[in-house]
Amino acid sequence: MFSKQLQASTDLFIRPFRWHMIVIVGSVIAICILYIRVSWPNSMVPLPPQPRPACKSSGSLPKELSDLTHLLHWPPTPGDAGELLASTSPQTSTYHLRDRSQASYTLGGSLEAILVARDHQGRPKTCGGDLFRAQLLGPHLKAGVPGDIQDLENGTYLLSFPLLWAGQAQVRVQLIHSSEAVRVLRGIWRDQWATVDFMGYFRGPTGYEEIVTCNVNPLLTGEEESTCHYKDEDSGELWFCARPPTLPCNSLVGHSSGHYWNVTTPHEEALLAWNLTDKVLPQGISPIWVAKESNKSLVLSPRQPCHPGIPGPKPSGFYHQDVWHSLSCSGRSFSTVDSILGCLAGHVVHMMGDSTLRQWWEYLRDTVPSLKPMDLHTTYQTGPLMAVETARGIVLHWRAHSWPLRSLHTPVASLHSVVRELGGLAGGPHTVVVLGLGAHFTTFPPSVFVQRLAGIRAAVAALLAREPRTLVVIKLANTGYKSVYGSDWFTLQVNRLLRAAFADLRVAFVDAWEMTSSLALPDRIHPGRLIVRNEVNFLLSFICPI
């Protein structure tokens, strides 16, 4: 009965609204009704695994984040799906210099180009919405910088590149997704409450186990009329599992990934196929030579030390000789073990998030021999993990964020919410908090991630209020995924939400999106050591700015 009332109420509200309002309004209604049901004094809803008390979160968000329509705007693609041949083609799309008469280029200047999107028959497109990636590369200098792409929404795009090193430079453009493929991804956000599910493991006193489906919404568990509801007492978020056949709801002990759902038609799959996705366009501009300026061969990073709250320029930095040069502050290089130890001495670092952040923990563990991992007898994939260096008083923690989390079978008791962990920190000048979220939220509508950010932002604000000397670093999500379950287009929206959520707080950002999209390297959800080394160096530049 409850699910029918919920569906009727949702249908009543969402019919008049456009696609981007469907997710927002529907989620708000579901969350409000379920919250009342869970928190009503006489409710028979079972309690979740008992959490440790922590400060409650108000979940307030800045105005910028509450306006999802503006924040997540993307040029629409008119019409229906149409023929595959009418979609944007990486083979026929072209680009050329905006000023064909320009004969010389100087360090500190810029290069501009015009990109014309064309379909598979070579006809110019008349609408925007394609997801392109543009780079300016210096292959012999191991240099690269992301280009700015302005969608003119008429089938053409303006590409702009800063000239940050002297020597040869070459434009490279990729079609990540056609506008028609992006329309498919947007439709999934509009029409799907989720594209994956999860397994919940219930165990009785004798060891007898029952396994059911779990998810962020009770309508997705397969048992709409009979579900177990779990409320995180710190963040207020809800989790749902189908009620097991015989065991009680409070016997939930394990969690793991479930199934990836088939949410696309054959035509939509063709638009997202590998031969049309993440493809380099034919070369449209010959290599240029950038002359030195005042005998300088490189644009230098700003002299100001790295500290939280620094505005993020566009682009945020560039590579030269495989080293990331920040354009927001004076990043440092920590190329020796002693320099890393000297920086981390006396610090306790708390990393919370996904496996791309675990790579930072692993890099430090593998690079510094005296940093010894402790066997906490946990599931490695989800943690918690800890490494210590007792001589210098260094402690490194990493743990995965709580559900939704695609993982191997792991104990529910190990899945602490980020809000819970932040609430238990006193903070101070020797405390570093690093948050890395995004990859596990691309299989849900943005409202799910917004709710998570609401609680985390409030917890970060409370931590900084009680101890302003605490360093909080936000790792943006990196490139990598190219499917309906984790496309770069979804990740781009996640990063917009991350920046908006923490824009008015004194935190630092590590722009992993640009750091993984500036060189001609294969996209991987788990970047290689070169990228991770530069990400960690930039983190250390905030811990030890001078």
Side-chain angles (χ1 to χ4, degrees), residues 370-394:
S370 60
L371 197 55
K372 302 299 184 182
M374 307 297 293
D375 185 1
L376 301 181
H377 304 286
T378 60
T379 303
Y380 182 84
Q381 189 185 32
T382 55
L385 306 178
M386 183 171 70
V388 298
E389 214 280 3
T390 56
R392 293 170 177 82
I394 302 170

mmCIF file of all heavy atoms in Angstrom, residues 370-394:
data_model
loop_
_atom_site.group_PDB
_atom_site.id
_atom_site.type_symbol
_atom_site.label_atom_id
_atom_site.label_comp_id
_atom_site.label_asym_id
_atom_site.label_seq_id
_atom_site.Cartn_x
_atom_site.Cartn_y
_atom_site.Cartn_z
ATOM 1 N N SER A 370 59.718 2.994 5.453
ATOM 2 C CA SER A 370 59.510 2.961 6.900
ATOM 3 C C SER A 370 58.057 3.155 7.305
ATOM 4 O O SER A 370 57.715 3.059 8.487
ATOM 5 C CB SER A 370 60.370 4.039 7.579
ATOM 6 O OG SER A 370 60.030 5.331 7.100
ATOM 7 N N LEU A 371 57.172 3.415 6.321
ATOM 8 C CA LEU A 371 55.740 3.564 6.599
ATOM 9 C C LEU A 371 55.119 2.166 6.548
ATOM 10 O O LEU A 371 54.927 1.590 5.477
ATOM 11 C CB LEU A 371 55.109 4.490 5.567
ATOM 12 C CG LEU A 371 53.741 5.097 5.857
ATOM 13 C CD1 LEU A 371 53.723 5.836 7.180
ATOM 14 C CD2 LEU A 371 53.336 6.016 4.720
ATOM 15 N N LYS A 372 54.855 1.596 7.714
ATOM 16 C CA LYS A 372 54.464 0.199 7.807
ATOM 17 C C LYS A 372 52.945 0.035 7.908
ATOM 18 O O LYS A 372 52.305 0.613 8.780
ATOM 19 C CB LYS A 372 55.104 -0.442 9.043
ATOM 20 C CG LYS A 372 56.627 -0.371 9.056
ATOM 21 C CD LYS A 372 57.238 -1.102 7.869
ATOM 22 C CE LYS A 372 58.757 -1.118 7.931
ATOM 23 N NZ LYS A 372 59.364 -1.786 6.747
ATOM 24 N N PRO A 373 52.360 -0.761 7.009
ATOM 25 C CA PRO A 373 50.919 -1.032 7.116
ATOM 26 C C PRO A 373 50.630 -1.957 8.288
ATOM 27 O O PRO A 373 51.402 -2.869 8.592
ATOM 28 C CB PRO A 373 50.590 -1.705 5.787
ATOM 29 C CG PRO A 373 51.884 -2.312 5.337
ATOM 30 C CD PRO A 373 52.975 -1.407 5.846
ATOM 31 N N MET A 374 49.518 -1.711 8.962
ATOM 32 C CA MET A 374 49.077 -2.534 10.077
ATOM 33 C C MET A 374 47.986 -3.484 9.594
ATOM 34 O O MET A 374 47.091 -3.083 8.850
ATOM 35 C CB MET A 374 48.527 -1.652 11.209
ATOM 36 C CG MET A 374 49.480 -0.558 11.665
ATOM 37 S SD MET A 374 51.005 -1.204 12.378
ATOM 38 C CE MET A 374 50.368 -1.961 13.870
ATOM 39 N N ASP A 375 48.069 -4.730 10.013
ATOM 40 C CA ASP A 375 47.055 -5.711 9.631
ATOM 41 C C ASP A 375 45.876 -5.585 10.590
ATOM 42 O O ASP A 375 45.918 -6.058 11.728
ATOM 43 C CB ASP A 375 47.634 -7.127 9.682
ATOM 44 C CG ASP A 375 46.647 -8.171 9.163
ATOM 45 O OD1 ASP A 375 45.533 -7.778 8.761
ATOM 46 O OD2 ASP A 375 47.000 -9.361 9.154
ATOM 47 N N LEU A 376 44.820 -4.927 10.116
ATOM 48 C CA LEU A 376 43.627 -4.749 10.941
ATOM 49 C C LEU A 376 42.602 -5.855 10.716
ATOM 50 O O LEU A 376 41.492 -5.776 11.230
ATOM 51 C CB LEU A 376 42.994 -3.384 10.634
ATOM 52 C CG LEU A 376 43.886 -2.161 10.872
ATOM 53 C CD1 LEU A 376 43.130 -0.881 10.548
ATOM 54 C CD2 LEU A 376 44.412 -2.137 12.295
ATOM 55 N N HIS A 377 42.976 -6.867 9.916
ATOM 56 C CA HIS A 377 42.113 -8.020 9.656
ATOM 57 C C HIS A 377 40.768 -7.580 9.081
ATOM 58 O O HIS A 377 39.705 -8.039 9.527
ATOM 59 C CB HIS A 377 41.923 -8.843 10.933
ATOM 60 C CG HIS A 377 43.218 -9.289 11.546
ATOM 61 N ND1 HIS A 377 43.999 -10.288 11.023
ATOM 62 C CD2 HIS A 377 43.896 -8.818 12.644
ATOM 63 C CE1 HIS A 377 45.091 -10.452 11.770
ATOM 64 N NE2 HIS A 377 45.057 -9.565 12.747
ATOM 65 N N THR A 378 40.834 -6.704 8.094
ATOM 66 C CA THR A 378 39.631 -6.208 7.438
ATOM 67 C C THR A 378 39.652 -6.591 5.959
ATOM 68 O O THR A 378 40.659 -7.073 5.445
ATOM 69 C CB THR A 378 39.540 -4.672 7.558
ATOM 70 O OG1 THR A 378 40.699 -4.087 6.935
ATOM 71 C CG2 THR A 378 39.480 -4.247 9.017
ATOM 72 N N THR A 379 38.531 -6.359 5.289
ATOM 73 C CA THR A 379 38.485 -6.540 3.841
ATOM 74 C C THR A 379 39.284 -5.422 3.191
ATOM 75 O O THR A 379 38.943 -4.246 3.332
ATOM 76 C CB THR A 379 37.030 -6.506 3.343
ATOM 77 O OG1 THR A 379 36.268 -7.504 4.024
ATOM 78 C CG2 THR A 379 36.964 -6.746 1.839
ATOM 79 N N TYR A 380 40.352 -5.772 2.467
ATOM 80 C CA TYR A 380 41.260 -4.747 1.944
ATOM 81 C C TYR A 380 40.540 -3.764 1.041
ATOM 82 O O TYR A 380 40.810 -2.555 1.077
ATOM 83 C CB TYR A 380 42.408 -5.406 1.182
ATOM 84 C CG TYR A 380 43.414 -4.404 0.646
ATOM 85 C CD1 TYR A 380 44.442 -3.920 1.465
ATOM 86 C CD2 TYR A 380 43.328 -3.921 -0.662
ATOM 87 C CE1 TYR A 380 45.355 -2.991 0.989
ATOM 88 C CE2 TYR A 380 44.237 -3.004 -1.146
ATOM 89 C CZ TYR A 380 45.248 -2.540 -0.315
ATOM 90 O OH TYR A 380 46.142 -1.604 -0.791
ATOM 91 N N GLN A 381 39.622 -4.235 0.228
ATOM 92 C CA GLN A 381 38.972 -3.378 -0.753
ATOM 93 C C GLN A 381 38.185 -2.240 -0.110
ATOM 94 O O GLN A 381 38.042 -1.161 -0.686
ATOM 95 C CB GLN A 381 38.039 -4.213 -1.638
ATOM 96 C CG GLN A 381 37.492 -3.446 -2.833
ATOM 97 C CD GLN A 381 36.489 -4.251 -3.614
ATOM 98 O OE1 GLN A 381 35.757 -5.063 -3.045
ATOM 99 N NE2 GLN A 381 36.441 -4.049 -4.917
ATOM 100 N N THR A 382 37.673 -2.456 1.096
ATOM 101 C CA THR A 382 36.860 -1.425 1.754
ATOM 102 C C THR A 382 37.519 -0.859 3.013
ATOM 103 O O THR A 382 37.098 0.198 3.496
ATOM 104 C CB THR A 382 35.484 -2.002 2.131
ATOM 105 O OG1 THR A 382 35.670 -3.183 2.921
ATOM 106 C CG2 THR A 382 34.692 -2.343 0.886
ATOM 107 N N GLY A 383 38.512 -1.545 3.542
ATOM 108 C CA GLY A 383 39.185 -1.053 4.722
ATOM 109 C C GLY A 383 38.382 -1.314 5.991
ATOM 110 O O GLY A 383 37.436 -2.093 5.991
ATOM 111 N N PRO A 384 38.774 -0.642 7.082
ATOM 112 C CA PRO A 384 39.776 0.437 7.136
ATOM 113 C C PRO A 384 41.207 -0.088 7.010
ATOM 114 O O PRO A 384 41.513 -1.205 7.415
ATOM 115 C CB PRO A 384 39.544 1.051 8.510
ATOM 116 C CG PRO A 384 38.965 -0.067 9.334
ATOM 117 C CD PRO A 384 38.128 -0.873 8.392
ATOM 118 N N LEU A 385 42.080 0.772 6.450
ATOM 119 C CA LEU A 385 43.506 0.494 6.329
ATOM 120 C C LEU A 385 44.281 1.523 7.140
ATOM 121 O O LEU A 385 43.855 2.676 7.274
ATOM 122 C CB LEU A 385 43.947 0.568 4.864
ATOM 123 C CG LEU A 385 43.175 -0.296 3.857
ATOM 124 C CD1 LEU A 385 43.700 -0.065 2.450
ATOM 125 C CD2 LEU A 385 43.242 -1.776 4.226
ATOM 126 N N MET A 386 45.424 1.122 7.664
ATOM 127 C CA MET A 386 46.239 2.038 8.459
ATOM 128 C C MET A 386 47.713 1.720 8.245
ATOM 129 O O MET A 386 48.108 0.556 8.159
ATOM 130 C CB MET A 386 45.900 1.939 9.951
ATOM 131 C CG MET A 386 46.662 2.933 10.827
ATOM 132 S SD MET A 386 46.075 2.975 12.553
ATOM 133 C CE MET A 386 46.639 1.383 13.148
ATOM 134 N N ALA A 387 48.525 2.765 8.146
ATOM 135 C CA ALA A 387 49.980 2.619 8.082
ATOM 136 C C ALA A 387 50.595 3.636 9.034
ATOM 137 O O ALA A 387 50.072 4.752 9.174
ATOM 138 C CB ALA A 387 50.483 2.835 6.655
ATOM 139 N N VAL A 388 51.696 3.254 9.665
ATOM 140 C CA VAL A 388 52.296 4.133 10.668
ATOM 141 C C VAL A 388 53.809 4.207 10.454
ATOM 142 O O VAL A 388 54.436 3.280 9.926
ATOM 143 C CB VAL A 388 52.003 3.648 12.106
ATOM 144 C CG1 VAL A 388 50.512 3.645 12.385
ATOM 145 C CG2 VAL A 388 52.594 2.260 12.338
ATOM 146 N N GLU A 389 54.355 5.325 10.864
ATOM 147 C CA GLU A 389 55.809 5.530 10.920
ATOM 148 C C GLU A 389 56.091 6.075 12.308
ATOM 149 O O GLU A 389 55.892 7.263 12.583
ATOM 150 C CB GLU A 389 56.230 6.527 9.832
ATOM 151 C CG GLU A 389 57.610 6.266 9.225
ATOM 152 C CD GLU A 389 58.770 6.766 10.086
ATOM 153 O OE1 GLU A 389 58.513 7.281 11.198
ATOM 154 O OE2 GLU A 389 59.915 6.650 9.632
ATOM 155 N N THR A 390 56.481 5.206 13.223
ATOM 156 C CA THR A 390 56.532 5.568 14.633
ATOM 157 C C THR A 390 57.641 6.566 14.958
ATOM 158 O O THR A 390 57.495 7.384 15.869
ATOM 159 C CB THR A 390 56.714 4.303 15.492
ATOM 160 O OG1 THR A 390 57.891 3.596 15.062
ATOM 161 C CG2 THR A 390 55.513 3.392 15.364
ATOM 162 N N ALA A 391 58.741 6.512 14.228
ATOM 163 C CA ALA A 391 59.853 7.413 14.537
ATOM 164 C C ALA A 391 59.476 8.877 14.342
ATOM 165 O O ALA A 391 59.957 9.751 15.064
ATOM 166 C CB ALA A 391 61.069 7.060 13.681
ATOM 167 N N ARG A 392 58.610 9.150 13.380
ATOM 168 C CA ARG A 392 58.226 10.532 13.090
ATOM 169 C C ARG A 392 56.765 10.814 13.425
ATOM 170 O O ARG A 392 56.251 11.888 13.111
ATOM 171 C CB ARG A 392 58.501 10.860 11.622
ATOM 172 C CG ARG A 392 60.002 10.876 11.288
ATOM 173 C CD ARG A 392 60.198 10.965 9.785
ATOM 174 N NE ARG A 392 61.617 11.065 9.423
ATOM 175 C CZ ARG A 392 62.437 10.031 9.327
ATOM 176 N NH1 ARG A 392 61.993 8.821 9.604
ATOM 177 N NH2 ARG A 392 63.706 10.193 8.986
ATOM 178 N N GLY A 393 56.089 9.863 14.022
ATOM 179 C CA GLY A 393 54.716 10.099 14.458
ATOM 180 C C GLY A 393 53.740 10.297 13.317
ATOM 181 O O GLY A 393 52.884 11.189 13.372
ATOM 182 N N ILE A 394 53.830 9.453 12.292
ATOM 183 C CA ILE A 394 52.953 9.564 11.127
ATOM 184 C C ILE A 394 51.930 8.434 11.153
ATOM 185 O O ILE A 394 52.280 7.274 11.364
ATOM 186 C CB ILE A 394 53.761 9.489 9.817
ATOM 187 C CG1 ILE A 394 54.822 10.589 9.765
ATOM 188 C CG2 ILE A 394 52.832 9.588 8.606
ATOM 189 C CD1 ILE A 394 55.797 10.424 8.616
#
